[in-house]
Amino acid sequence: MNCSRIHSRSLTTGVAFVALAIIAAIPVRVRAATPPRADYEFTGDISLGVPAFNDYLTFDASSRRLYVSHVDRVTVVDVASRSVVGTVAPVKDSHGIAIVPKLGKGYADSGDDALVKVFNLTDFKIIKQIKVSVDADGMLYDETSNTVLVVAGDSKNLTVINPTDDSVARTVALPGKPEFFALDEAGNVYINMADTASIVKVNIASGSVEATWPMQNCKAPHGLAYDKPSNRLFSGCANGRMVVVDANDGRNVANLPMGTQSDGVSVDSTRRLVFSSNGPGTLTAISIGANDQFEVARTIPTFFGGRNMALDPVSGELFVTHGHMKVLSSLRDLLNLKFGWDAIEVATFVPRP
C-alpha cells in the first residue's frame, strides 16, 4: 500500500469511530460455547524515529526481529531488547519485506523504482537488486516452494523469485489489483484483489491462476491471513467487515464486523484468534471456534493510525505501528489546535495469562 495514500486516508478520516452495525448478507455466525481469551496488556512503545510514515511489518521468529517498512528504509527492531538494531537503505517507497533465515538474506521492495533489494541479515547491507514491476507492494517468503513472492498493485501481477540465485522464476498476471496475500504451506498463494473484492488462488510452482472467489459485503480488501487448522482465509475489508473464506472452494463462511481502515490481518493459530489492526486506533480480536463458529471476542484499544501489525506466533505478542502524535500549531489558540505525526512507534501487546 502506498505510504502517502495511507497517511492521507488516515488523517482525513479523523479520530471518530465508525459504527459497525451492518447486517451480513451471508450465514449468521454461531456463538462458540467457550471462546478463547482475548485479554491483552499494552507493554509500551518502541520508537523508530522519522520518517513519520510506514507500511507493512514482518516478524522473523528465528531471530525475534521485527522488520518495519519505513518510507525510504527498512527499520530493524530487536524485540527482546526493544531497540532498533539496524537499517536497510536506501529504498524508494518501502512496502513489503520477506526474510529467508536459512540463506541469511532478506528482501525489501522499492516500489517507486520497481526493484526488490536483497540484503544481508547480519549487517543489513544491500547485496543485490532484482528488477520487478512498478508499484511493488506486499512480500512473503514461502518455505514450502522456497520462493520469495511480491505483488504489484498498479501492474496487477505476482513476481516469483528464486532466493537461491535471486533470479525471477516467473511473473503471473492477475485479474485485478492485488493488495496483500497469504500462504497455505501446500504450494498455494491466496491474493486479495482490492478492486474486485475477490480472492485469487495461484499455484506457485506452475504460476497458474486456479480460482477467483468473490467476497460478499466486502469493499477494497486489504489484509489477508490463513489459519491452517481450519483451512480458512480471513480477509479484512475497508468497509469494516471480516470475511471468512473456505480455502478449499472459496465459499464465504462468515462475515463479521471489525474496525475500519484496516491494512493488516494476523492469525494466532495457537490461541485460536484472528486480529485486524484498524486505523481509528483499535484491534478487533475474533475467536476461531470449531465447526465454523466465529465471534468478535474483544475490541482492544491501540493508537490512531495503527492499521498495520505483526504477530509473534510463539509468544502471541502483537506489534502495531502508529504515528507519534504531537501538536503542530501554536498553543495560544486552543480552539484551533492542529495535530500531526513526527515519528513512528511500535506499540506492543502481550496476552495476559
Side-chain angles (χ1 to χ4, degrees), residues 124-171:
F124 311 118
K125 290 183 178 179
I126 295 171
I127 56 179
K128 189 176 290 187
Q129 296 186 152
I130 304 169
K131 187 66 177 176
V132 288
S133 298
V134 174
D135 195 30
D137 196 356
M139 296 186 71
L140 288 174
Y141 170 62
D142 179 45
E143 189 172 4
T144 302
S145 62
N146 189 35
T147 56
V148 172
L149 309 176
V150 53
V151 292
D154 291 344
S155 299
K156 297 183 178 181
N157 63 30
L158 165 74
T159 298
V160 182
I161 297 170
N162 180 353
T164 303
D165 59 7
D166 294 325
S167 62
V168 173
R170 65 188 58 84
T171 300

Coordinates of all heavy atoms in Angstrom, one line a residue, residues 124-171:
F124 N 22.8 -6.0 7.4 CA 21.7 -5.3 6.7 C 22.2 -4.5 5.5 O 21.4 -3.6 5.0 CB 21.0 -4.4 7.7 CG 20.6 -5.0 9.0 CD1 21.2 -4.6 10.2 CD2 19.8 -6.1 9.0 CE1 20.8 -5.2 11.4 CE2 19.5 -6.8 10.2 CZ 20.0 -6.3 11.4
K125 N 23.4 -4.8 5.0 CA 23.8 -4.2 3.8 C 23.2 -4.8 2.5 O 22.9 -6.0 2.5 CB 25.3 -4.3 3.6 CG 26.1 -3.4 4.7 CD 27.6 -3.5 4.5 CE 28.3 -2.6 5.5 NZ 29.8 -2.7 5.3
I126 N 22.8 -3.9 1.6 CA 22.2 -4.4 0.3 C 23.3 -5.0 -0.5 O 24.3 -4.5 -0.8 CB 21.5 -3.2 -0.4 CG1 20.4 -2.6 0.4 CG2 21.1 -3.6 -1.8 CD1 19.8 -1.4 -0.1
I127 N 23.0 -6.2 -1.0 CA 24.0 -7.0 -1.8 C 23.6 -7.2 -3.2 O 24.4 -7.7 -4.0 CB 24.3 -8.4 -1.1 CG1 23.0 -9.2 -0.9 CG2 25.0 -8.2 0.2 CD1 23.2 -10.5 -0.2
K128 N 22.3 -7.0 -3.5 CA 21.8 -7.2 -4.9 C 20.5 -6.5 -5.1 O 19.8 -6.2 -4.2 CB 21.7 -8.7 -5.2 CG 21.4 -9.1 -6.6 CD 21.3 -10.6 -6.8 CE 22.7 -11.2 -6.6 NZ 22.6 -12.7 -7.0
Q129 N 20.2 -6.2 -6.4 CA 18.9 -5.6 -6.8 C 18.3 -6.5 -7.9 O 19.0 -7.0 -8.8 CB 19.1 -4.2 -7.4 CG 19.6 -3.2 -6.3 CD 19.6 -1.8 -6.9 OE1 19.5 -0.9 -6.1 NE2 19.8 -1.6 -8.2
I130 N 17.0 -6.7 -7.7 CA 16.2 -7.6 -8.7 C 15.1 -6.7 -9.3 O 14.3 -6.1 -8.6 CB 15.6 -8.8 -7.9 CG1 16.6 -9.6 -7.2 CG2 14.8 -9.7 -8.9 CD1 16.1 -10.7 -6.3
K131 N 15.1 -6.7 -10.6 CA 14.0 -5.9 -11.3 C 12.7 -6.6 -11.2 O 12.6 -7.8 -11.6 CB 14.4 -5.7 -12.7 CG 13.5 -4.7 -13.5 CD 13.6 -3.3 -12.9 CE 12.7 -2.3 -13.7 NZ 12.8 -1.0 -13.1
V132 N 11.7 -5.9 -10.7 CA 10.3 -6.5 -10.7 C 9.4 -5.5 -11.4 O 9.7 -5.0 -12.4 CB 9.9 -6.8 -9.2 CG1 10.7 -8.0 -8.7 CG2 10.1 -5.6 -8.3
S133 N 8.2 -5.3 -10.9 CA 7.2 -4.5 -11.6 C 6.9 -3.2 -10.8 O 7.2 -3.1 -9.6 CB 5.9 -5.2 -11.7 OG 6.1 -6.4 -12.6
V134 N 6.4 -2.2 -11.5 CA 6.1 -0.9 -10.9 C 5.0 -1.1 -9.8 O 4.1 -1.9 -9.9 CB 5.6 0.1 -11.9 CG1 5.1 1.4 -11.3 CG2 6.7 0.4 -13.0
D135 N 5.2 -0.4 -8.7 CA 4.3 -0.4 -7.5 C 4.4 -1.8 -6.8 O 3.4 -2.3 -6.3 CB 2.9 -0.2 -8.0 CG 1.9 0.1 -6.8 OD1 2.4 0.7 -5.8 OD2 0.8 -0.2 -6.8
A136 N 5.6 -2.3 -6.7 CA 5.8 -3.5 -5.9 C 5.4 -3.2 -4.5 O 5.7 -2.2 -3.9 CB 7.3 -3.9 -5.9
D137 N 4.6 -4.2 -3.9 CA 3.9 -3.9 -2.6 C 4.2 -5.0 -1.6 O 5.3 -5.1 -1.1 CB 2.4 -3.7 -2.9 CG 1.7 -3.1 -1.8 OD1 2.3 -2.8 -0.8 OD2 0.5 -2.8 -2.0
G138 N 3.2 -5.8 -1.3 CA 3.4 -6.8 -0.3 C 4.3 -7.9 -0.7 O 4.5 -8.3 -1.9
M139 N 5.1 -8.5 0.3 CA 6.0 -9.6 0.1 C 5.9 -10.6 1.1 O 5.6 -10.4 2.3 CB 7.5 -9.0 0.1 CG 7.8 -8.0 -1.0 SD 9.5 -7.6 -1.0 CE 10.3 -9.1 -1.6
L140 N 6.2 -11.9 0.7 CA 6.2 -13.0 1.7 C 7.3 -14.0 1.2 O 7.5 -14.1 0.0 CB 4.9 -13.7 1.8 CG 3.8 -13.0 2.5 CD1 2.5 -13.8 2.4 CD2 4.1 -12.8 4.0
Y141 N 7.8 -14.8 2.1 CA 8.7 -15.9 1.8 C 7.9 -17.2 2.0 O 7.3 -17.4 3.1 CB 9.9 -15.9 2.6 CG 10.7 -17.2 2.4 CD1 11.3 -17.6 1.2 CD2 10.9 -18.1 3.5 CE1 12.0 -18.8 1.1 CE2 11.7 -19.3 3.4 CZ 12.2 -19.6 2.1 OH 12.9 -20.8 2.0
D142 N 7.8 -18.1 1.0 CA 7.1 -19.3 1.1 C 8.2 -20.4 1.2 O 8.9 -20.8 0.3 CB 6.3 -19.6 -0.1 CG 5.5 -21.0 0.0 OD1 5.0 -21.3 1.0 OD2 5.6 -21.7 -1.0
E143 N 8.3 -21.0 2.4 CA 9.3 -22.0 2.7 C 9.0 -23.3 1.9 O 9.9 -24.0 1.5 CB 9.3 -22.3 4.2 CG 10.5 -23.2 4.6 CD 10.6 -23.3 6.1 OE1 9.8 -22.7 6.8 OE2 11.6 -23.9 6.6
T144 N 7.7 -23.6 1.7 CA 7.4 -24.9 1.0 C 7.9 -24.9 -0.4 O 8.5 -25.9 -0.8 CB 5.8 -25.0 0.9 OG1 5.3 -25.0 2.3 CG2 5.5 -26.3 0.2
S145 N 7.8 -23.8 -1.1 CA 8.3 -23.8 -2.5 C 9.7 -23.1 -2.6 O 10.3 -23.0 -3.7 CB 7.3 -23.0 -3.4 OG 7.2 -21.7 -3.0
N146 N 10.2 -22.6 -1.5 CA 11.4 -21.9 -1.4 C 11.4 -20.7 -2.4 O 12.3 -20.6 -3.3 CB 12.6 -22.8 -1.6 CG 14.0 -22.1 -1.4 OD1 14.0 -21.2 -0.5 ND2 15.0 -22.4 -2.2
T147 N 10.4 -19.9 -2.3 CA 10.3 -18.7 -3.2 C 10.0 -17.5 -2.4 O 9.3 -17.5 -1.4 CB 9.2 -19.0 -4.3 OG1 8.0 -19.3 -3.6 CG2 9.6 -20.1 -5.2
V148 N 10.4 -16.3 -2.9 CA 10.0 -15.0 -2.4 C 9.0 -14.5 -3.4 O 9.2 -14.5 -4.6 CB 11.2 -14.1 -2.3 CG1 10.8 -12.7 -2.0 CG2 12.2 -14.6 -1.3
L149 N 7.8 -14.0 -2.8 CA 6.7 -13.6 -3.6 C 6.5 -12.1 -3.4 O 6.6 -11.6 -2.3 CB 5.5 -14.3 -3.3 CG 5.6 -15.9 -3.3 CD1 4.2 -16.5 -2.8 CD2 5.9 -16.4 -4.7
V150 N 6.2 -11.4 -4.5 CA 5.9 -9.9 -4.4 C 4.8 -9.6 -5.3 O 4.8 -10.0 -6.5 CB 7.2 -9.0 -4.6 CG1 7.8 -9.4 -6.0 CG2 6.8 -7.6 -4.6
V151 N 3.8 -8.9 -4.8 CA 2.7 -8.4 -5.7 C 2.9 -7.0 -6.0 O 3.5 -6.2 -5.2 CB 1.3 -8.6 -5.0 CG1 1.0 -10.1 -4.8 CG2 1.3 -7.9 -3.6
A152 N 2.4 -6.6 -7.2 CA 2.5 -5.2 -7.6 C 1.1 -4.7 -8.0 O 0.5 -5.2 -8.9 CB 3.4 -5.1 -8.8
G153 N 0.6 -3.7 -7.2 CA -0.8 -3.3 -7.4 C -1.1 -2.7 -8.7 O -2.0 -3.2 -9.5
D154 N -0.4 -1.6 -9.1 CA -0.7 -1.0 -10.4 C -0.4 -1.9 -11.6 O -1.0 -1.8 -12.6 CB 0.1 0.3 -10.5 CG -0.4 1.4 -9.5 OD1 -1.5 1.2 -9.0 OD2 0.4 2.4 -9.3
S155 N 0.6 -2.7 -11.4 CA 1.0 -3.6 -12.5 C 0.1 -4.9 -12.6 O 0.2 -5.7 -13.6 CB 2.5 -4.0 -12.4 OG 3.3 -2.9 -12.5
K156 N -0.6 -5.1 -11.5 CA -1.6 -6.3 -11.5 C -0.9 -7.6 -11.7 O -1.3 -8.4 -12.6 CB -2.7 -6.1 -12.5 CG -3.6 -4.8 -12.2 CD -4.8 -4.7 -13.1 CE -5.6 -3.5 -12.8 NZ -6.8 -3.4 -13.6
N157 N 0.2 -7.9 -11.0 CA 0.9 -9.1 -11.2 C 1.5 -9.6 -9.9 O 1.6 -8.9 -8.9 CB 1.8 -9.1 -12.3 CG 3.0 -8.1 -12.1 OD1 3.4 -7.9 -11.0 ND2 3.5 -7.6 -13.2
L158 N 2.0 -10.8 -9.9 CA 2.7 -11.5 -8.9 C 4.1 -11.9 -9.5 O 4.1 -12.6 -10.5 CB 2.0 -12.7 -8.4 CG 2.7 -13.7 -7.5 CD1 3.0 -13.2 -6.1 CD2 2.0 -15.1 -7.4
T159 N 5.2 -11.6 -8.8 CA 6.5 -12.0 -9.2 C 7.0 -13.0 -8.3 O 6.9 -12.9 -7.0 CB 7.5 -10.8 -9.3 OG1 7.0 -9.8 -10.2 CG2 8.9 -11.3 -9.7
V160 N 7.5 -14.1 -8.8 CA 8.1 -15.3 -8.0 C 9.6 -15.2 -8.2 O 10.1 -15.3 -9.3 CB 7.5 -16.6 -8.5 CG1 8.0 -17.7 -7.7 CG2 6.0 -16.6 -8.5
I161 N 10.3 -15.1 -7.1 CA 11.8 -15.0 -7.1 C 12.4 -16.3 -6.5 O 11.9 -16.8 -5.4 CB 12.2 -13.8 -6.3 CG1 11.7 -12.5 -7.0 CG2 13.7 -13.7 -6.1 CD1 11.9 -11.2 -6.1
N162 N 13.4 -16.8 -7.1 CA 14.2 -17.9 -6.5 C 15.3 -17.3 -5.7 O 16.2 -16.7 -6.2 CB 14.8 -18.7 -7.7 CG 15.6 -19.9 -7.2 OD1 15.8 -20.1 -6.0 ND2 16.0 -20.8 -8.1
P163 N 15.2 -17.5 -4.3 CA 16.2 -16.9 -3.4 C 17.6 -17.6 -3.5 O 18.5 -17.0 -3.0 CB 15.6 -17.0 -2.1 CG 14.7 -18.2 -2.2 CD 14.2 -18.2 -3.6
T164 N 17.7 -18.7 -4.1 CA 19.0 -19.4 -4.2 C 19.9 -18.6 -5.0 O 21.1 -18.4 -4.7 CB 18.8 -20.8 -4.7 OG1 17.9 -21.6 -3.9 CG2 20.1 -21.6 -4.8
D165 N 19.4 -18.1 -6.2 CA 20.3 -17.3 -7.1 C 19.7 -16.0 -7.4 O 20.2 -15.2 -8.2 CB 20.5 -18.1 -8.4 CG 19.2 -18.4 -9.2 OD1 18.1 -17.9 -8.7 OD2 19.3 -19.1 -10.2
D166 N 18.6 -15.6 -6.7 CA 17.9 -14.3 -6.8 C 17.5 -14.0 -8.3 O 17.5 -12.8 -8.7 CB 18.8 -13.2 -6.3 CG 19.1 -13.3 -4.8 OD1 18.1 -13.8 -4.1 OD2 20.2 -13.0 -4.3
S167 N 17.1 -15.0 -8.9 CA 16.5 -14.8 -10.3 C 15.0 -14.8 -10.2 O 14.4 -15.3 -9.3 CB 16.9 -16.0 -11.2 OG 16.4 -17.2 -10.7
V168 N 14.4 -14.1 -11.2 CA 12.9 -14.1 -11.3 C 12.5 -15.4 -12.0 O 12.8 -15.6 -13.2 CB 12.4 -12.9 -12.1 CG1 10.9 -13.0 -12.3 CG2 12.8 -11.6 -11.3
A169 N 11.8 -16.2 -11.3 CA 11.3 -17.5 -11.9 C 10.2 -17.3 -12.8 O 10.1 -17.9 -13.9 CB 10.9 -18.5 -10.7
R170 N 9.2 -16.4 -12.5 CA 8.1 -16.1 -13.4 C 7.3 -14.9 -12.8 O 7.5 -14.5 -11.7 CB 7.1 -17.3 -13.4 CG 6.4 -17.7 -12.1 CD 5.6 -19.0 -12.2 NE 6.5 -20.1 -12.6 CZ 7.3 -20.8 -11.7 NH1 7.2 -20.4 -10.4 NH2 8.0 -21.8 -12.1
T171 N 6.6 -14.3 -13.7 CA 5.7 -13.2 -13.4 C 4.2 -13.7 -13.8 O 4.0 -14.1 -14.9 CB 6.0 -11.9 -14.1 OG1 7.4 -11.6 -13.7 CG2 5.1 -10.8 -13.7

